Structures are given as structure tokens and as C-alpha cells.
Amino acid sequence: MTDEKHSSTTQRLDEASSGALLEASSTQSVGAKPTIAVVGSGPSGCYISSFLEKKWPGSEIAVFESMPTPYGLVRYGIAADHQGTKNVTRQFDRLFTKGNVRFVGNVCVGTDIEFSTLAEAFDIVVLATGLPEDRPLDVPTQAGARVIGAGTLLRALNGYPTRTIPCDPDGRYTPLGQQLAVVGMGNVALDVVRLMSKDPHEFEGSDIDDELLAQLRPNRPNSIDVISRSGLALAKFDYAMLRELLSLPNIDVTVIGLGDNATGPAAELLRTHVDTAEDPPSTDQVRTHVRLHFQLSPESITTSGDRTILRVSTPYGSDATTDLVVDTVITAIGFTHGDQQDLSSPTGDWSGDNVYRVGWLSRGPHGAIPENRKDAMQVVERIADDVISGRLKIGKAGYAVVGPLLRSVVSFADWQRIEALEQQEALPGRCRRKVTDRERMLSIATSAISSGTASESDTDMPVTRTAGAVRTHQQPTRESDQ
């Protein structure tokens, strides 16, 4: 933002806040309720909002989300066939419909409003943006090799509006191919293998993007090689995820490099698959051959014609290196911070005495949704200690300051219109058909306002709109439970 624009924003901030701050100044006494901004509406953001509301009933809490839709990874990160995990949104729905928490959707902190403006307006700011990017595989990679991040792939299959996977000249997504390699053996990796190995009827009740799945995977792949650098003891998958994968009816599993000293339930489950059916399946085979490789380290990725070659090294066997010739390499080795050019990605400057971090942004890409809930509870206790001790002063005006600065805000009632349409348009056997175009989302969200039929929940929390204003920034899912 230029100095001129920053000066203009600061002037509007001062004008909008002058009256509100005078009113707020009378609440400096003990027992006053803080104004709170939470950036990110994924599980960490929702959990901490819920705990803060319980800590200070009646306090003002505004949850800012760059997308027009709430819930971050639950909507776009959790695998589309895991609807049981996605059902946590029912709990979060009550937060926005029954509680005193405001959803401020389609507002990207860092571009639509500066972080410093937010921190100046609210007593407490909690950053719950997660880690948006797939961690790249740090090996030499030849230009033109087909390498896709697992997070990018899962978001696409979940109907995320921005898709960065390759397209052909006609705009159709390029098929992943019949031989795949997945680098990593955590829950995300097993999600990819499972989604690639299921037949369409096995997605009953899911919200997978069927059209995209058909383009990326016209047929189930013949083979999937899954690569773990470590032995089984250090593998990051959950036992339940492994059992689910092995129960699929259309796959044959071979385990390589398990080690005779491996113990525990997962080892017992895998041992019957050790070194079985090592020969690759024929091209007309109807089953997918999944090979789980332990203690195999990626060395490089090159190309040969239209094939991708993943070179790996192994501590066992007679050959130090092996080449896996596949169509696509899918990396599932964790997540990291956003690109330096991404103004919505928290930097070191996003800090202050009233600024806190929660979830993966705070502790790194470790733990599933239950861990994020526990982490949110601990952060709330730290915030409460700071308020009680007097280290954190309260009395700022909050949303009354920033509301007039925002345009094209999507409220929770607006989101509910999008959700209702998605459920109405669900294909047979699907729980919803997601709207994947952001401009259409905004059109649906504001349709009741345009027609003069705003609901009561709209009027309870007024928003500022600019007709036809559609921004082009589209942030990736910020946090993963995988």
C-alpha cells in the first residue's frame, strides 16, 4: 500500500473510531468485555472463538475469512469422503447463529484491510490462518516433470475455486496418469491413495468434485508407489487411516522395507502384505496395485519423454538407487507458510502485545483437529491471564472502527444462501455440489440483499457492500487436520 493510501486509510480509521472510542473509554473498569478479532475461520479459529465467548460472554468477536465461505480446511482440506470429520461444522454453525460471534467473510486481512489497522481497532487479535502451502520436495527437479502437492490436489477435489493443477490447451485438467508416486506416508498421503483408488460409487454421501475427478482420473491408476523416508515406527499416519486404506476392495497392497523388528498393531496389519505381488500389474488389470515403501529416500526427479522418473535410494538390497518411472509425482510431506508475495500470509510484522497465534501457524504442521482444540484452549487461558494481570489493556472499539472500511462483506446468513443452493444442486449420492466459482458465490450470497429480502440475521449484523465488487485474490486453505 502506498503512503498516500495508508494516510487515507488512517484518516478514515480516526474518523470512524472517534465516537466509538469515546463510548468504549467508559468500559475500562474490571469486568469490561474485550473486543476480539480472529483471522481465519478454520477449526482453530472457530474453537478459539468459542472458548473466548465462554470466557467473556457477550464480548464482541469478529472472525475474518478471506473466502466467502467459512471453515477453511473442513470445507477444502479434509478429504471429500470423510464427511464424519466434516460434520464438526454443525458445532461451528451454532457459534455463528446462536452465539455472539460475527462472520466477516470475503475480507482478506493484508489486502482488503491492513493488519495494523485491525490490531489498532481490537483489544485482542488472534491469528488462526494455518499453513497454506505444500512443503516442496527438496531434491533436484527437472523442468517439465509432473509434480503436484497433495494439499493442492485435495483442495481441487474439494471444489476449491482456485486451481493450480495443469490444464491442456482446451482448458481441461490433464489426467494424472496410470502410474503414480506419492512421496510421504502421513494421513494426507493415505488420503490421496484412497481417493485415487476408489470407484465413483464408493464416494456415496461425499461432496467430491465429480467433474474434476473424472478429468484428473478417468480410470483408477494401475499402480501407486508410496514412499516413506523413515521406517514404520516414524510413519505419521493414524492406524485407523491405514485400516481404511487396506479395506478398499479394489486394491492389492505390497509392503517393502518393513523390517523384521517392526512391532505394534500397524506392523501386524502390514506384515501379511510384505513383498507380495511385486511384479507390476498388466495394463488391463482392473485392480490398483499399491506399494508401500519404507526407508526409501527421494534423490531427484527427471523426465523421459512424457514420463516422470523419481530416483530413490535405499539402505537395503543390492542396488543403492532405484528409478520409479511414473506419470505423476504427488508430494505429501507437510505444509509451510505462504509465498513471500502473499500479502495475506502473516509475517513477523503481524505482531504486538495484543496479538496471539494459534494452531499450525503457532506450533507448526503437527496434530489433527483435536490437538487444535486443545491448543486453542491453552491460548485462551494465556490471553485471560494477560487481561487479569493488567498486561493487556482493553477498551478499544472493535468492529465499529473497521466495519466502515470494508466492502463486499459476506455475513453468515449470506453464506447460508450459498450452502442451501449447494445442497439443492447435489447430484444423486452426493451431500452437496459446491459452487467453485468465486464470482458466482458472491452473486448467490448477495441475492437476498439485491432483491430487498434481507433476513433478520442479516440486519442484526449490518455489512457494507459495493454492488458488483468482486475481488480476484483467492487464498488457499490455511490449515489441515491431516
Side-chain angles (χ1 to χ4, degrees):
M1 177 176 287
T2 65
D3 291 341
E4 182 180 353
K5 288 183 179 179
H6 184 272
S7 176
S8 175
T9 299
T10 302
Q11 181 179 355
R12 285 189 292 153
L13 171 62
D14 292 338
E15 293 172 352
S17 62
S18 57
L21 287 173
L22 286 173
E23 180 181 354
S25 65
S26 64
T27 67
Q28 297 284 354
S29 61
V30 175
K33 298 178 176 65
T35 56
I36 303 165
V38 176
V39 183
S41 68
S44 287
C46 288
Y47 278 131
I48 203 162
S49 298
S50 177
F51 296 142
L52 286 166
E53 185 183 40
K54 292 176 182 176
K55 180 67 68 175
W56 289 291
S59 60
E60 177 188 281
I61 303 174
V63 179
F64 293 82
E65 169 59 54
S66 63
M67 292 291 293
T69 58
Y71 305 143
L73 82 92
V74 182
R75 180 172 169 87
Y76 293 120
I78 293 174
D81 61 339
H82 276 187
Q83 291 299 310
T85 306
K86 288 175 180 275
N87 280 340
V88 71
T89 59
R90 297 177 182 175
Q91 174 186 342
F92 298 154
D93 284 347
R94 293 192 292 272
L95 179 71
F96 294 108
T97 57
K98 304 296 184 183
N100 193 43
V101 179
R102 181 197 308 262
F103 177 68
V104 188
N106 198 45
V107 173
C108 187
V109 176
T111 55
D112 297 320
I113 183 170
E114 288 193 359
F115 171 77
S116 59
T117 302
L118 204 68
E120 291 167 7
F122 287 86
D123 295 317
I124 299 165
V125 178
V126 182
L127 303 178
T129 56
L131 299 175
E133 301 292 338
D134 288 289
R135 186 160 71 89
L137 187 61
D138 189 19
V139 301
T141 301
Q142 184 177 340
R146 291 211 64 196
V147 182
I148 298 175
T152 298
L153 178 59
L154 291 178
R155 282 194 296 271
L157 292 172
N158 260 315
Y160 190 73
T162 302
R163 296 170 178 171
T164 57
I165 50 182
C167 291
D168 63 23
D170 296 328
R172 291 181 60 83
Y173 292 98
T174 308
L176 298 175
Q178 289 299 295
Q179 281 80 42
L180 308 179
V182 178
V183 179
M185 208 178 288
N187 287 346
V188 171
L190 298 196
D191 279 339
V192 170
V193 177
R194 190 183 66 255
L195 293 176
M196 293 296 99
S197 302
K198 281 188 170 183
D199 284 329
H201 73 272
E202 294 178 275
F203 291 104
E204 185 81 15
S206 78
D207 58 357
I208 198 163
D209 188 324
D210 288 284
E211 182 179 355
L212 180 68
L213 179 65
Q215 291 184 32
L216 289 178
R217 198 211 62 175
N219 302 292
R220 282 188 295 103
N222 291 331
S223 66
I224 305 176
D225 286 279
V226 189
I227 311 301
S228 173
R229 288 187 177 96
S230 67
L232 176 61
L234 297 179
K236 302 298 185 181
F237 58 75
D238 295 334
Y239 178 68
M241 293 281 287
L242 178 64
R243 287 185 58 186
E244 182 182 9
L245 175 64
L246 295 179
S247 70
L248 294 181
N250 301 316
I251 68 171
D252 293 313
V253 177
T254 297
V255 177
I256 303 166
L258 179 61
D260 295 336
N261 58 347
T263 60
E268 295 305 312
L269 196 61
L270 291 173
R271 205 168 297 282
T272 57
H273 299 279
V274 170
D275 296 332
T276 60
E278 290 192 52
D279 292 333
S282 62
T283 56
D284 61 349
Q285 188 161 339
V286 296
R287 300 173 67 80
T288 296
H289 187 188
V290 176
R291 289 182 285 264
L292 304 179
H293 301 265
F294 292 96
Q295 302 182 71
L296 213 58
S297 297
E299 298 293 339
S300 66
I301 302 176
T302 57
T303 65
S304 177
D306 60 352
R307 308 302 300 281
T308 297
I309 303 173
L310 174 63
R311 174 159 291 186
V312 294
S313 62
T314 175
Y316 56 83
S318 57
D319 296 326
T321 60
T322 302
D323 287 344
L324 300 176
V325 182
V326 298
D327 297 302
T328 303
V329 174
I330 302 168
T331 58
I333 57 173
F335 298 88
T336 188
H337 295 276
D339 188 273
Q340 292 183 350
Q341 305 304 315
D342 181 2
L343 298 178
S344 69
S345 184
T347 65
D349 294 334
W350 290 33
S351 59
D353 294 338
N354 65 332
V355 180
Y356 302 82
R357 298 188 174 206
V358 69
W360 279 17
L361 182 68
S362 170
R363 68 181 194 277
H366 310 290
I369 286 180
E371 284 78 10
N372 289 328
R373 184 180 187 276
K374 180 179 179 181
D375 183 43
M377 292 179 66
Q378 294 172 344
V379 173
V380 168
E381 291 305 314
R382 188 163 75 249
I383 294 172
D385 288 344
D386 288 347
V387 172
I388 293 170
S389 69
R391 289 191 296 271
L392 184 62
K393 305 299 182 182
I394 64 174
K396 295 182 180 179
Y399 196 79
V401 174
V402 302
L405 309 179
L406 304 176
R407 299 292 181 268
S408 300
V409 175
V410 172
S411 71
F412 195 77
D414 295 336
W415 146 245
Q416 287 177 311
R417 281 187 281 275
I418 299 173
E419 183 177 43
L421 183 68
E422 290 182 339
Q423 292 171 345
Q424 291 170 8
E425 293 186 347
L427 298 173
R430 302 292 181 261
C431 62
R432 68 174 71 226
R433 185 178 187 180
K434 287 178 180 170
V435 178
T436 60
D437 178 80
R438 190 185 186 111
E439 191 167 345
R440 186 176 178 227
M441 283 185 192
L442 296 179
S443 176
I444 297 165
T446 59
S447 59
I449 299 294
S450 301
S451 61
T453 57
S455 66
E456 182 179 352
S457 56
D458 286 313
T459 57
D460 285 344
M461 294 184 175
V463 298
T464 304
R465 302 185 188 281
T466 299
V470 178
R471 295 188 306 281
T472 58
H473 68 268
Q474 298 170 330
Q475 304 305 320
T477 304
R478 294 291 179 182
E479 190 169 348
S480 172
D481 76 327
Q482 308 303 307

PDB file of all heavy atoms in Angstrom, residues 40-59:
ATOM      1  N   GLY A  40      -9.113 -16.046  10.345  1.00  0.00           N
ATOM      2  CA  GLY A  40      -9.165 -17.438   9.929  1.00  0.00           C
ATOM      3  C   GLY A  40     -10.335 -18.147  10.563  1.00  0.00           C
ATOM      4  O   GLY A  40     -10.534 -18.079  11.785  1.00  0.00           O
ATOM      5  N   SER A  41     -11.146 -18.831   9.747  1.00  0.00           N
ATOM      6  CA  SER A  41     -12.362 -19.482  10.254  1.00  0.00           C
ATOM      7  C   SER A  41     -12.286 -21.000  10.171  1.00  0.00           C
ATOM      8  O   SER A  41     -13.308 -21.671  10.140  1.00  0.00           O
ATOM      9  CB  SER A  41     -13.586 -18.986   9.471  1.00  0.00           C
ATOM     10  OG  SER A  41     -13.547 -19.446   8.124  1.00  0.00           O
ATOM     11  N   GLY A  42     -11.054 -21.544  10.132  1.00  0.00           N
ATOM     12  CA  GLY A  42     -10.902 -22.982  10.201  1.00  0.00           C
ATOM     13  C   GLY A  42     -11.144 -23.468  11.624  1.00  0.00           C
ATOM     14  O   GLY A  42     -11.574 -22.697  12.495  1.00  0.00           O
ATOM     15  N   PRO A  43     -10.897 -24.741  11.910  1.00  0.00           N
ATOM     16  CA  PRO A  43     -11.162 -25.256  13.251  1.00  0.00           C
ATOM     17  C   PRO A  43     -10.491 -24.469  14.367  1.00  0.00           C
ATOM     18  O   PRO A  43     -11.115 -24.189  15.383  1.00  0.00           O
ATOM     19  CB  PRO A  43     -10.637 -26.686  13.168  1.00  0.00           C
ATOM     20  CG  PRO A  43     -10.800 -27.062  11.746  1.00  0.00           C
ATOM     21  CD  PRO A  43     -10.506 -25.815  10.976  1.00  0.00           C
ATOM     22  N   SER A  44      -9.215 -24.094  14.209  1.00  0.00           N
ATOM     23  CA  SER A  44      -8.546 -23.336  15.261  1.00  0.00           C
ATOM     24  C   SER A  44      -9.233 -22.005  15.501  1.00  0.00           C
ATOM     25  O   SER A  44      -9.434 -21.594  16.647  1.00  0.00           O
ATOM     26  CB  SER A  44      -7.068 -23.117  14.909  1.00  0.00           C
ATOM     27  OG  SER A  44      -6.331 -24.299  15.050  1.00  0.00           O
ATOM     28  N   GLY A  45      -9.593 -21.316  14.423  1.00  0.00           N
ATOM     29  CA  GLY A  45     -10.279 -20.039  14.563  1.00  0.00           C
ATOM     30  C   GLY A  45     -11.635 -20.184  15.218  1.00  0.00           C
ATOM     31  O   GLY A  45     -12.030 -19.360  16.063  1.00  0.00           O
ATOM     32  N   CYS A  46     -12.380 -21.217  14.852  1.00  0.00           N
ATOM     33  CA  CYS A  46     -13.704 -21.433  15.437  1.00  0.00           C
ATOM     34  C   CYS A  46     -13.600 -21.882  16.887  1.00  0.00           C
ATOM     35  O   CYS A  46     -14.364 -21.421  17.743  1.00  0.00           O
ATOM     36  CB  CYS A  46     -14.484 -22.447  14.606  1.00  0.00           C
ATOM     37  SG  CYS A  46     -15.042 -21.813  13.008  1.00  0.00           S
ATOM     38  N   TYR A  47     -12.665 -22.767  17.180  1.00  0.00           N
ATOM     39  CA  TYR A  47     -12.518 -23.228  18.561  1.00  0.00           C
ATOM     40  C   TYR A  47     -12.127 -22.079  19.485  1.00  0.00           C
ATOM     41  O   TYR A  47     -12.692 -21.918  20.573  1.00  0.00           O
ATOM     42  CB  TYR A  47     -11.480 -24.343  18.645  1.00  0.00           C
ATOM     43  CG  TYR A  47     -11.997 -25.704  18.295  1.00  0.00           C
ATOM     44  CD1 TYR A  47     -11.317 -26.528  17.403  1.00  0.00           C
ATOM     45  CD2 TYR A  47     -13.180 -26.196  18.871  1.00  0.00           C
ATOM     46  CE1 TYR A  47     -11.792 -27.794  17.081  1.00  0.00           C
ATOM     47  CE2 TYR A  47     -13.659 -27.457  18.549  1.00  0.00           C
ATOM     48  CZ  TYR A  47     -12.960 -28.247  17.657  1.00  0.00           C
ATOM     49  OH  TYR A  47     -13.438 -29.504  17.349  1.00  0.00           O
ATOM     50  N   ILE A  48     -11.171 -21.275  19.059  1.00  0.00           N
ATOM     51  CA  ILE A  48     -10.744 -20.209  19.956  1.00  0.00           C
ATOM     52  C   ILE A  48     -11.833 -19.155  20.110  1.00  0.00           C
ATOM     53  O   ILE A  48     -11.991 -18.564  21.184  1.00  0.00           O
ATOM     54  CB  ILE A  48      -9.407 -19.589  19.495  1.00  0.00           C
ATOM     55  CG1 ILE A  48      -8.720 -18.935  20.701  1.00  0.00           C
ATOM     56  CG2 ILE A  48      -9.604 -18.581  18.357  1.00  0.00           C
ATOM     57  CD1 ILE A  48      -7.248 -18.678  20.500  1.00  0.00           C
ATOM     58  N   SER A  49     -12.638 -18.934  19.072  1.00  0.00           N
ATOM     59  CA  SER A  49     -13.762 -18.015  19.192  1.00  0.00           C
ATOM     60  C   SER A  49     -14.773 -18.531  20.205  1.00  0.00           C
ATOM     61  O   SER A  49     -15.315 -17.774  21.022  1.00  0.00           O
ATOM     62  CB  SER A  49     -14.433 -17.818  17.829  1.00  0.00           C
ATOM     63  OG  SER A  49     -13.544 -17.257  16.901  1.00  0.00           O
ATOM     64  N   SER A  50     -15.031 -19.827  20.157  1.00  0.00           N
ATOM     65  CA  SER A  50     -15.978 -20.435  21.091  1.00  0.00           C
ATOM     66  C   SER A  50     -15.483 -20.309  22.532  1.00  0.00           C
ATOM     67  O   SER A  50     -16.243 -19.935  23.440  1.00  0.00           O
ATOM     68  CB  SER A  50     -16.180 -21.905  20.729  1.00  0.00           C
ATOM     69  OG  SER A  50     -17.031 -22.548  21.661  1.00  0.00           O
ATOM     70  N   PHE A  51     -14.189 -20.602  22.753  1.00  0.00           N
ATOM     71  CA  PHE A  51     -13.645 -20.538  24.111  1.00  0.00           C
ATOM     72  C   PHE A  51     -13.574 -19.096  24.620  1.00  0.00           C
ATOM     73  O   PHE A  51     -13.793 -18.835  25.800  1.00  0.00           O
ATOM     74  CB  PHE A  51     -12.260 -21.189  24.154  1.00  0.00           C
ATOM     75  CG  PHE A  51     -12.274 -22.656  23.845  1.00  0.00           C
ATOM     76  CD1 PHE A  51     -11.259 -23.239  23.099  1.00  0.00           C
ATOM     77  CD2 PHE A  51     -13.308 -23.460  24.280  1.00  0.00           C
ATOM     78  CE1 PHE A  51     -11.272 -24.593  22.813  1.00  0.00           C
ATOM     79  CE2 PHE A  51     -13.335 -24.822  23.993  1.00  0.00           C
ATOM     80  CZ  PHE A  51     -12.312 -25.385  23.258  1.00  0.00           C
ATOM     81  N   LEU A  52     -13.278 -18.151  23.722  1.00  0.00           N
ATOM     82  CA  LEU A  52     -13.248 -16.743  24.117  1.00  0.00           C
ATOM     83  C   LEU A  52     -14.645 -16.250  24.479  1.00  0.00           C
ATOM     84  O   LEU A  52     -14.812 -15.465  25.426  1.00  0.00           O
ATOM     85  CB  LEU A  52     -12.659 -15.895  22.991  1.00  0.00           C
ATOM     86  CG  LEU A  52     -11.145 -16.005  22.794  1.00  0.00           C
ATOM     87  CD1 LEU A  52     -10.727 -15.397  21.464  1.00  0.00           C
ATOM     88  CD2 LEU A  52     -10.399 -15.333  23.954  1.00  0.00           C
ATOM     89  N   GLU A  53     -15.640 -16.714  23.736  1.00  0.00           N
ATOM     90  CA  GLU A  53     -17.012 -16.318  24.040  1.00  0.00           C
ATOM     91  C   GLU A  53     -17.439 -16.848  25.410  1.00  0.00           C
ATOM     92  O   GLU A  53     -18.153 -16.173  26.166  1.00  0.00           O
ATOM     93  CB  GLU A  53     -17.961 -16.824  22.957  1.00  0.00           C
ATOM     94  CG  GLU A  53     -19.395 -16.356  23.141  1.00  0.00           C
ATOM     95  CD  GLU A  53     -20.337 -16.931  22.098  1.00  0.00           C
ATOM     96  OE1 GLU A  53     -20.177 -18.119  21.765  1.00  0.00           O
ATOM     97  OE2 GLU A  53     -21.216 -16.203  21.637  1.00  0.00           O
ATOM     98  N   LYS A  54     -17.013 -18.057  25.724  1.00  0.00           N
ATOM     99  CA  LYS A  54     -17.341 -18.614  27.045  1.00  0.00           C
ATOM    100  C   LYS A  54     -16.582 -17.884  28.155  1.00  0.00           C
ATOM    101  O   LYS A  54     -17.091 -17.724  29.270  1.00  0.00           O
ATOM    102  CB  LYS A  54     -17.013 -20.107  27.068  1.00  0.00           C
ATOM    103  CG  LYS A  54     -17.919 -20.941  26.185  1.00  0.00           C
ATOM    104  CD  LYS A  54     -17.495 -22.404  26.150  1.00  0.00           C
ATOM    105  CE  LYS A  54     -18.397 -23.212  25.221  1.00  0.00           C
ATOM    106  NZ  LYS A  54     -17.954 -24.623  25.102  1.00  0.00           N
ATOM    107  N   LYS A  55     -15.365 -17.449  27.859  1.00  0.00           N
ATOM    108  CA  LYS A  55     -14.562 -16.732  28.851  1.00  0.00           C
ATOM    109  C   LYS A  55     -15.157 -15.354  29.136  1.00  0.00           C
ATOM    110  O   LYS A  55     -15.213 -14.917  30.290  1.00  0.00           O
ATOM    111  CB  LYS A  55     -13.119 -16.610  28.346  1.00  0.00           C
ATOM    112  CG  LYS A  55     -12.177 -15.883  29.281  1.00  0.00           C
ATOM    113  CD  LYS A  55     -11.954 -16.664  30.562  1.00  0.00           C
ATOM    114  CE  LYS A  55     -11.182 -17.950  30.302  1.00  0.00           C
ATOM    115  NZ  LYS A  55     -10.864 -18.650  31.575  1.00  0.00           N
ATOM    116  N   TRP A  56     -15.595 -14.670  28.081  1.00  0.00           N
ATOM    117  CA  TRP A  56     -16.194 -13.342  28.224  1.00  0.00           C
ATOM    118  C   TRP A  56     -17.548 -13.312  27.513  1.00  0.00           C
ATOM    119  O   TRP A  56     -17.665 -12.821  26.373  1.00  0.00           O
ATOM    120  CB  TRP A  56     -15.277 -12.269  27.631  1.00  0.00           C
ATOM    121  CG  TRP A  56     -14.046 -12.023  28.445  1.00  0.00           C
ATOM    122  CD1 TRP A  56     -13.978 -11.437  29.672  1.00  0.00           C
ATOM    123  CD2 TRP A  56     -12.698 -12.328  28.072  1.00  0.00           C
ATOM    124  NE1 TRP A  56     -12.671 -11.369  30.099  1.00  0.00           N
ATOM    125  CE2 TRP A  56     -11.867 -11.907  29.141  1.00  0.00           C
ATOM    126  CE3 TRP A  56     -12.107 -12.920  26.951  1.00  0.00           C
ATOM    127  CZ2 TRP A  56     -10.477 -12.056  29.118  1.00  0.00           C
ATOM    128  CZ3 TRP A  56     -10.733 -13.073  26.930  1.00  0.00           C
ATOM    129  CH2 TRP A  56      -9.931 -12.647  27.996  1.00  0.00           C
ATOM    130  N   PRO A  57     -18.588 -13.846  28.131  1.00  0.00           N
ATOM    131  CA  PRO A  57     -19.919 -13.858  27.492  1.00  0.00           C
ATOM    132  C   PRO A  57     -20.356 -12.447  27.127  1.00  0.00           C
ATOM    133  O   PRO A  57     -20.214 -11.504  27.915  1.00  0.00           O
ATOM    134  CB  PRO A  57     -20.822 -14.464  28.580  1.00  0.00           C
ATOM    135  CG  PRO A  57     -19.897 -15.254  29.449  1.00  0.00           C
ATOM    136  CD  PRO A  57     -18.612 -14.498  29.461  1.00  0.00           C
ATOM    137  N   GLY A  58     -20.862 -12.320  25.910  1.00  0.00           N
ATOM    138  CA  GLY A  58     -21.334 -11.018  25.452  1.00  0.00           C
ATOM    139  C   GLY A  58     -20.270 -10.144  24.845  1.00  0.00           C
ATOM    140  O   GLY A  58     -20.570  -9.042  24.361  1.00  0.00           O
ATOM    141  N   SER A  59     -19.020 -10.604  24.851  1.00  0.00           N
ATOM    142  CA  SER A  59     -17.971  -9.808  24.223  1.00  0.00           C
ATOM    143  C   SER A  59     -18.134  -9.827  22.710  1.00  0.00           C
ATOM    144  O   SER A  59     -18.741 -10.727  22.142  1.00  0.00           O
ATOM    145  CB  SER A  59     -16.591 -10.346  24.611  1.00  0.00           C
ATOM    146  OG  SER A  59     -16.448 -11.693  24.196  1.00  0.00           O
TER     147      SER A  59
END
